[in-house]
Amino acid sequence: MTASASTDGAADTVTVSRNSVTVGAGLILLGVSATVYLVLSARAVGPREFASLSTLWTLVYTFGIGAFLPFEQELGRAVARRTVLGQGAGPVVARTAAIAGVVLVTLLVALAVAAPLFVDRLFAGQSTPLVALAVAMVAMAAQYLTRGLFSGTGRFGWYSAQLGLEGLVRIGGCVALLIAGVHTAGPYAWLLAAAPMAALLLTVPGAGQGVRSGPSARWAEVSVNLGWLLISAICAQAVANAAMVALQLLAPHSDTAGKFLAAFVIARIPLFLFQAVQATLIPGLARALAARDHAGFRRELGRVLVVTGLVGVAGMAGAAVLGPWALQLAFGKAFDLGRADIVVLAVSTGLYMLALVFQAGLVAMERHRANAAGWSIALGSFAAMCLVPLPALVRVETALVLSCGVAVGLLGMSLFRATRLTLAAEAPVRAIGHS
């Protein structure tokens, strides 16, 4: 390696670290805003109305992330490739936006068809959350497209700004509503749509700066793995969040769903910490594979699993010791849920984090189909368990733990199998190289 190459590698490492810190700042603010929103809105409207808000929150982030995060990932990859080649990204952005538009319209049509069910069974007869959900879907579809453009062109300041602005609008709006004495769910529902829309409008100029005309884009350029990524993302988000919707469907006229989401916020604190672990350790998997360092891949995967396991165990212990106290401290005495229930939620969180580690390994190895199959079966097991005639809360909690466990088992086995196959395929090459 020449001195020049070494210097370039060091510069790349510094750049990646700087970009990670920049994006991390926005992610932290967005994450904090989620907790602030849920805590303050729950205290303002009480457990019964918070049940509808918790369902809206679940739907916004299940479909917003599940349906449109893959477009950010694929657009970022395609734009980065064109940037390296010195080609304008305009055509590939247009292609990706067209596909995302089809997905968005499909979701909105499905939402319109299911509107009576949603209003009656999920939103306690109120139509405001349904309209807010539709507006939020439009905003998030555009957000993820702009983020793909930001990341693909290296505009991480704009990327972080969009995350941070959404968080600031959400926090500021929630505090303003609380100070104004608003104790009905409608305005807080609209805030879920207003925050991403405001952040989008304020950062769209940064996205426009990165679009230049270039060679025409083939559909394959932006859709090689998009279908499998969509299935994986939607099913993974559903496994993580469907429990709130299922509980509201099974017990539509109780305040259990609101209390359940409040406990979920407490039990999922380790998941917030895990995002930092993932951001610093998971990229090592891709680097190891690119260098054909399979020993390094297994070593990096082992490190991630150990750290994730420790975070998960700490979360379970914290839920067992401090769960009920932390729940009432954050949300108030009206939000009471048993210690065992909070521990079950913490167990599911630990399992879900392990599944995300295995997912990262499969994606790094481009095993998108196996990843989609694992999450799909996990979601199917959740739905099947919800049909068992048990009390609603027991049914949903069991389904949540079962589905997360199934995801861990299937994704873990798929990753183990893929690693063995890769090693077996490269063994003859190594043998020839040593002969």
Side-chain angles (χ1 to χ4, degrees), residues 235 239 370-384 402-403 406-407 410:
C235 290
V239 168
N371 190 38
W375 284 115
S376 299
I377 295 171
L379 181 57
S381 69
F382 179 92
L402 174 64
S403 60
V406 168
L410 292 178

Side-chain angles (χ1 to χ4, degrees), residues 4-26:
S4 175
S6 177
T7 302
D8 289 344
D12 288 344
T13 300
V14 171
T15 301
V16 170
S17 298
R18 187 183 299 117
N19 291 338
S20 298
V21 171
T22 301
V23 174

Side-chain angles (χ1 to χ4, degrees), residues 143 161-163 165-167 169 194-204:
Q143 269 191 324
Q162 188 175 97
L163 298 173
L165 284 168
E166 181 177 345
V169 171
M197 186 63 76
L200 172 68
L201 294 176
L202 291 170
T203 53
V204 160

